[in-house]
Amino acid sequence: MPIAKVNGVEVEFEPGMTVLQVAERAGQEIPRFCYHERLSIAGNCRMCLVEVKPGPPKPQASCALPAADGQEIFTDTPMVKKAREGVMEFLLINHPLDCPICDQGGECDLQDQAVGYGRDGSRYGENKRAVEEKNMGPTVKTFMTRCIQCTRCVRFITEVAGVPDIGMISRGESAEITTYLEKNIDSELSGNVNDLCPVGALTHRPWQYHYRPWELKKTETIDVMDALGSNIRADSRGAEVMRVLPRVNEGINEEWLSDKSRYAVDGLQARRLDRPWVRENGKLRPASWDEALSVVADKIKAASADRIGVIAGDLQDAESMKATLDLFRALGSANTDCRQDGAALGGEAREGWLFNSGLQGIENADAILIVGANPRTEAPLLNARIRKSWLKGGVEVGVIGPQADLTYDYNYLGAGSKTVGKLPKAATDFLTKAERPAIIVGAGALTGETGPAVLNALGALAKKVGVVKDGWNGFNVLHAAAARVGGLDMGFLPGEGGLDVATMLKPGALDVLFLLGADEVNADASGAFRVYLGSHGDRGAHGADVILPGAAYTEKSGLYVNTEGRVQMAERVVFPKGEAKDDWAIIRALSERVGHKLPFDTLEQLRTKLMGDHPTFGRIDYLAPAATFDVAKLGAKGDLGDVAFVSVIADPYLTNPIARASETMAQLSAERMAPVALAAE
Amino acid sequence: MSVRRLAKEQPSSFEFSKETMEKAQWWIKKYPESRRQSAVIPILWLVQKQEGWVSEPSLRAIGDLLGMAYIRVLEVATFYTMFQLTPVGTAALIQVCGTTQCMLRGSNELMRVCREKIGPKDELSADGRFTWQEVECIGACSNAPVAQINDLYYEDLTPENMAQIIDDFAAGKTPKAGSYVGRHTSEPVGGARVLTDPALYDGSAAKKIKKLPNSEPVAEKAPV
């Protein structure tokens, strides 16, 4: 490997690295505004100037200069210091000094670097330029006077998000960042431009003037808005989660976050269940915990074991599902199911419901067949990865199912199960000739009566074209719910002779229906006594006879398994609202009243039991290398019929109770989904 | 240069004329299919030729034609000041050079005439037939002061010339372009002072060339 000297210290580097990267490798921090590791290099802020020998006797922009063998790089000479001060002074000619009222204040790159590398004053007494505000939609608040034209937002939205909406118009001193005629940014990743903005020009509109960064308590936790389990940092003040920002996790979300994961947090403050409720004479009235639990216990005890059932919701942590599952098994009920969407998954090998290649691994695939999923709405960051891989030119994509704008080109092969049954030759060919083919199956393909048959046919296809082979497992199930894999891993499925979700909901099927945070099913017709345990007054609570207030994902410590099968632990950021309790504790209290006391008193004991029964839960933050399995055994042979696949997510901004309670999500849904509905009419 | 914005009032639609489209296709063919957008500047220019200015619907039409995001077309159109983003006079677009040489030779006076006869700078005249602008150096300094009117240069102007030219355009005529002091291109006023011998131009001084200079192969030097 070539060697360069940074401030006299030799450092090895890989060919193709830039001077800035080599200097970083040597531990020298280089200030920058426009340069970002995950974006193309622009080289327009000039903050990263360094001195390089051999070379012209002037400072060089290190972000855009390839390092060479034997090069000497200086980052602390008087020339570099002077250059940085000069650039800083130039940048500040037109930057307003409104830090005290700027949302970026306290976490601003310009502020920090002005202190670190700038002069103490300015020699420019002229008036500063003023720029009109621009509308960019409900997620982005603009203060364009503060813009320093680094173009990070332009590059992000064009390259990573694949929606070229932002641009820089005019030139020179008049240059302005804007969208075309100030239309809204139509990207599900738009919030990231606010993170990328090194100054306060683009800030988070939903949180505008809500906080100052230094007054927030920061808790590292896990996102549950989709099944990717993006790593987040939830910042809270008092009892309120003020904002959610991404944490870097190369294996999952890199350093991005989708708008839903980020901006749905205002839903945590609205429509909350903060005390137990009991229905009396057709009307809900507030009740004490004691009373509510007794009512539920009486009803359960009165019903026969095969007439009670439980449906687990999409945001449920593994511990509460485990406690519920154990309780219902103890009661003798086999009517347990966690698949609200009715996907034909679960059972045999764990690989049968995982995203086996891994989110990072999907970038290695050279052919991807997407079946019955719209990754852009179901898992925006997975879609960004596929786009990244497509931009590099290494992957061919085929789609069976919904035909949507995925931000990359694909071959549209067919609408539904008919195409799966009789694949066009082109489809099999592009998978066969690929070295590492992958199939991404969405829950949309696996629902309904044809679900098992579709899964079986895809398994057979996977086996035929070598999707699963030694050293490569490209059979990927894309879930849309954060709780789903955890539920499947612990076998939260109908037991021997048990009813599944659809049959439990049929009129007269059950006497007592327990909804464990299940809001995506319509239980109005079931006629059973309904108990709802959850955090929000949403569909599930709407018709419930007893409401038990639980904790939202930021209010409890819990395990979540993402679509790859990676177990991650979410942390408590704030306490549950009002009288609400941790979900597992409610189940534990209920178990005592129904006479089947669960064998744990603390969350740790529950976790120990969970990990003992299902060892996969013990491997926190660990992604097992994909094992091969007999993919052809999946599902059941049957008539494929002719069903057009529909993504399980009709409106990505309204997928769960938290999002539905969020004002920002309602706004995004109205802005971004309405035109789609019009087009479909 | 101030911030360039699209005109407030825009036509409802834009159509490429047959002729513009033919020329546009010629430009598009010059580039590989995957680099169609390289033709954006010539096509913006063609559209401006067709309409006199570049309207918002035309930006979208160009974006659609080249498979570009609209914002990318807008970026180009706002970057170059020669693209007119607002309607300009139908009879004449007068661009008076105001940079140093022309200014020293009296361009301020030309602009005064324009202001008196047409109206404020950068605005369409009341009758919609004239627009005048001040532009940066247009590269004809030896003939200062200069104005570009529509596609042609009008050089060595006096305020009287300018007034006459505007009147002529207003009358529907196209005044003669070029120098208004009667010189040939940028020769000195009163005619050329050097290379005046007629023999230089009748062929009598020509000699037959025996061999072209530097046409012989260079002898290989022995390595040192």
Side-chain angles (χ1 to χ4, degrees):
Chain A
M1 282 209 292
I3 293 172
K5 260 189 184 172
V6 179
N7 296 343
V9 181
E10 286 198 347
V11 57
E12 276 189 64
F13 64 95
E14 278 155 40
M17 284 175 100
T18 62
V19 169
L20 186 145
Q21 288 168 321
V22 175
E24 295 237 299
R25 186 168 267 211
Q28 293 300 324
E29 191 190 48
I30 309 277
R32 82 287 301 267
F33 295 109
C34 72
Y35 175 81
H36 192 274
E37 297 91 321
R38 286 170 223 272
L39 302 175
S40 63
I41 295 169
N44 52 13
C45 75
R46 317 307 292 178
M47 193 63 208
C48 64
L49 295 173
V50 295
E51 201 178 337
V52 171
K53 275 183 195 164
K58 57 172 188 172
Q60 308 251 17
S62 61
C63 70
L65 184 69
D69 193 20
Q71 205 163 37
E72 283 186 83
I73 301 163
F74 301 94
T75 67
D76 54 1
T77 57
M79 185 207 273
V80 175
K81 182 167 182 291
K82 197 176 162 199
R84 286 172 179 169
E85 283 175 357
V87 170
M88 204 65 232
E89 196 176 3
F90 274 179
L91 286 172
L92 291 174
I93 290 177
N94 274 320
H95 190 83
L97 300 178
D98 60 351
C99 306
I101 56 151
C102 176
D103 261 351
Q104 193 89 352
E107 49 185 8
C108 173
D109 287 359
L110 191 67
Q111 223 176 17
D112 295 347
Q113 292 183 29
V115 172
Y117 305 102
R119 291 159 46 91
D120 58 350
S122 173
R123 287 168 287 185
Y124 293 91
E126 290 82 4
N127 286 340
K128 292 175 188 261
R129 80 168 185 152
V131 184
E132 289 165 35
E133 297 328 348
K134 305 284 188 289
N135 168 58
M136 288 198 184
T139 54
V140 185
K141 171 68 197 170
T142 64
F143 278 95
M144 296 322 283
T145 305
R146 296 176 188 152
C147 177
I148 57 167
Q149 285 86 40
C150 70
T151 68
R152 274 188 189 179
C153 52
V154 179
R155 284 174 283 145
F156 173 83
I157 220 78
T158 309
E159 294 160 14
V160 179
V163 182
D165 273 352
I166 308 181
M168 185 159 75
I169 61 165
S170 278
R171 63 173 143 129
E173 202 204 6
S174 309
E176 295 181 355
I177 298 287
T178 184
T179 55
Y180 187 72
L181 304 183
E182 302 197 27
K183 80 184 193 65
N184 294 349
I185 304 172
D186 189 19
S187 168
E188 64 288 352
L189 301 174
S190 67
N192 294 300
V193 299
N194 304 332
D195 282 352
L196 284 171
C197 186
V199 296
L202 309 180
T203 48
H204 305 277
R205 191 190 279 271
W207 310 327
Q208 192 193 354
Y209 302 141
H210 281 202
Y211 55 81
R212 308 254 61 189
W214 53 83
E215 54 186 30
L216 299 176
K217 190 187 97 189
K218 296 155 180 85
T219 313
E220 301 198 335
T221 180
I222 303 298
D223 171 59
V224 299
M225 291 291 147
D226 56 34
L228 299 185
S230 300
N231 288 200
I232 56 171
R233 194 189 81 198
D235 293 0
S236 58
R237 189 181 57 198
E240 192 177 343
V241 179
M242 301 304 292
R243 64 172 180 182
V244 160
L245 298 175
R247 276 190 291 143
V248 177
N249 186 329
E250 291 299 336
I252 302 173
N253 55 324
E254 297 173 272
E255 62 175 273
W256 316 126
L257 201 57
S258 68
D259 285 354
K260 180 166 61 158
S261 307
R262 192 190 291 266
Y263 296 122
V265 283
D266 55 348
L268 290 169
Q269 297 302 118
R271 282 155 66 177
R272 290 304 302 269
L273 301 171
D274 57 357
R275 50 157 44 148
W277 297 77
V278 173
R279 192 176 295 275
E280 207 173 62
N281 303 325
K283 275 187 123 177
L284 285 169
R285 64 163 176 83
S288 68
W289 269 113
D290 196 39
E291 189 187 357
L293 286 173
S294 306
V295 172
V296 178
D298 290 348
K299 284 284 174 185
I300 290 179
K301 275 193 280 191
S304 74
D306 60 337
R307 300 279 292 169
I308 57 174
V310 58
I311 300 172
D314 289 352
L315 306 181
Q316 219 51 41
D317 55 308
E319 289 91 338
S320 68
M321 284 198 284
K322 173 68 179 163
T324 313
L325 183 64
D326 283 2
L327 173 63
F328 274 73
R329 288 286 183 271
L331 287 164
S333 170
N335 306 326
T336 50
D337 204 345
C338 68
R339 301 164 303 181
Q340 288 191 86
D341 50 20
L345 292 166
E348 306 276 316
R350 186 170 183 245
E351 282 75 18
W353 60 79
L354 294 186
F355 199 95
N356 289 303
S357 70
L359 296 169
Q360 199 166 23
I362 196 72
E363 286 178 33
N364 299 327
D366 47 3
I368 302 176
L369 177 65
I370 300 171
V371 186
N374 177 350
R376 194 169 166 196
T377 56
E378 290 172 34
L381 295 170
L382 168 68
N383 202 54
R385 277 203 196 260
I386 301 177
R387 176 179 160 79
K388 181 160 85 173
S389 170
W390 173 80
L391 274 181
K392 273 190 218 149
V395 66
E396 214 178 315
V397 183
V399 168
I400 303 176
Q403 196 171 5
D405 175 11
L406 296 180
T407 69
Y408 41 84
D409 293 340
Y410 56 83
N411 300 322
Y412 184 64
L413 302 168
S417 58
K418 203 171 167 189
T419 318
V420 175
K422 201 171 177 306
L423 266 184
K425 199 174 166 311
T428 39
D429 275 0
F430 98 96
L431 289 170
T432 317
K433 72 173 193 283
E435 209 169 301
R436 289 175 305 278
I439 297 181
I440 297 178
V441 198
L446 305 175
T447 53
E449 283 175 14
T450 55
V454 170
L455 185 59
N456 186 266
L458 288 172
L461 171 71
K463 187 157 191 171
K464 195 173 102 190
V465 299
V467 168
V468 182
K469 56 192 172 193
D470 279 342
W472 173 251
N473 186 343
F475 186 79
N476 296 327
V477 179
L478 177 62
H479 294 272
R484 196 59 40 80
V485 175
L488 294 170
D489 278 359
M490 71 176 72
F492 205 108
L493 295 164
E496 197 86 10
L499 307 177
D500 63 8
V501 168
T503 24
M504 274 193 261
L505 294 173
K506 283 196 179 134
L510 295 175
D511 288 340
V512 179
L513 175 61
F514 198 99
L515 297 172
L516 182 63
D519 286 277
E520 314 313 314
V521 292
N522 186 352
D524 289 341
S526 83
F529 183 85
R530 269 179 281 161
V531 183
Y532 178 75
L533 192 166
S535 58
H536 281 70
D538 202 71
R539 280 175 215 166
H542 182 67
D545 295 295
V546 175
I547 294 171
L548 305 174
Y553 73 109
T554 47
E555 293 154 12
K556 58 190 170 191
S557 175
L559 293 172
Y560 288 94
V561 191
N562 80 351
T563 192
E564 313 166 277
R566 194 195 298 254
V567 183
Q568 301 186 104
M569 193 183 288
E571 294 296 341
R572 168 175 286 163
V573 182
V574 292
F575 283 95
K577 301 280 171 230
E579 293 174 34
K581 303 260 182 259
D582 281 8
D583 300 13
W584 76 269
I586 301 170
I587 301 292
R588 166 69 177 71
L590 181 65
S591 73
E592 207 162 344
R593 282 161 201 266
V594 295
H596 292 277
K597 191 173 146 188
L598 290 167
F600 40 77
D601 297 324
T602 63
L603 188 57
E604 279 61 47
Q605 289 173 3
L606 168 55
R607 275 196 188 132
T608 314
K609 173 139 176 50
L610 173 66
M611 291 167 186
D613 291 355
H614 309 282
T616 52
F617 283 97
R619 300 184 298 197
I620 293 173
D621 288 337
Y622 169 77
L623 184 63
T628 54
F629 71 115
D630 192 357
V631 69
K633 268 196 188 157
L634 287 172
K637 269 207 162 46
D639 183 22
L640 286 165
D642 184 10
V643 186
F645 298 146
V646 189
S647 169
V648 280
I649 291 181
D651 186 333
Y653 299 105
L654 302 176
T655 51
N656 59 49
I658 299 173
R660 282 191 289 267
S662 155
E663 215 173 294
T664 316
M665 290 298 108
Q667 226 172 341
L668 285 177
S669 167
E671 302 255 352
R672 294 185 185 163
M673 303 316 289
V676 178
L678 281 179
E681 271 165 19
Chain B
M1 195 182 76
S2 58
V3 182
R4 286 163 55 76
R5 298 242 192 265
L6 296 182
K8 286 225 163 55
E9 279 174 40
Q10 295 283 350
S12 58
S13 64
F14 168 81
E15 287 286 338
F16 288 102
S17 72
K18 192 162 165 277
E19 199 191 6
T20 309
M21 191 43 119
E22 267 170 26
K23 285 184 186 161
Q25 292 299 344
W26 183 86
W27 280 101
I28 291 170
K29 279 205 198 84
K30 284 187 72 166
Y31 304 102
E33 184 53 34
S34 59
R35 297 281 183 275
R36 279 171 83 86
Q37 59 268 47
S38 301
V40 68
I41 292 177
I43 292 178
L44 275 166
W45 194 244
L46 289 172
V47 166
Q48 179 160 311
K49 275 260 159 261
Q50 179 189 316
E51 302 284 302
W53 62 297
V54 178
S55 65
E56 191 273 330
S58 73
L59 293 180
R60 281 186 280 129
I62 294 168
D64 291 337
L65 177 69
L66 298 177
M68 293 168 79
Y70 300 155
I71 182 77
R72 293 282 107 81
V73 187
L74 181 68
E75 282 177 339
V76 176
T78 54
F79 188 92
Y80 294 104
T81 50
M82 281 170 82
F83 293 125
Q84 305 296 333
L85 301 180
T86 49
V88 294
T90 48
L93 166 65
I94 300 169
Q95 297 176 307
V96 185
C97 174
T99 312
T100 319
Q101 278 78 345
C102 287
M103 192 261 283
L104 292 172
R105 298 278 294 158
S107 67
N108 284 343
E109 284 301 295
L110 302 184
M111 288 190 237
R112 183 183 53 79
V113 172
C114 289
R115 199 173 297 116
E116 280 163 9
K117 292 188 89 74
I118 298 170
K121 187 161 76 170
D122 295 325
E123 279 177 30
L124 202 54
S125 63
D127 60 1
R129 300 189 64 211
F130 287 92
T131 306
W132 77 274
Q133 302 172 332
E134 180 183 346
V135 295
E136 299 307 324
C137 183
I138 53 178
C141 308
S142 53
N143 296 43
V146 186
Q148 183 186 348
I149 306 182
N150 296 336
D151 291 336
L152 298 170
Y153 278 14
Y154 292 74
E155 301 156 346
D156 302 319
L157 297 175
T158 60
E160 295 73 39
N161 294 145
M162 195 57 163
Q164 185 61 45
I165 289 169
I166 295 174
D167 288 343
D168 283 355
F169 273 110
K173 290 185 269 185
T174 306
K176 155 186 94 69
S179 170
Y180 270 63
V181 291
R183 58 171 156 166
H184 181 241
T185 67
S186 53
E187 276 177 358
V189 178
R193 308 232 176 109
V194 292
L195 302 173
T196 47
D197 186 358
L200 283 171
Y201 304 103
D202 62 6
S204 57
K207 276 184 243 163
K208 261 217 151 103
I209 295 170
K210 288 190 186 120
K211 70 173 192 210
L212 288 170
N214 300 326
S215 59
E216 279 175 20
V218 183
E220 287 273 332
K221 274 187 196 162
V224 183

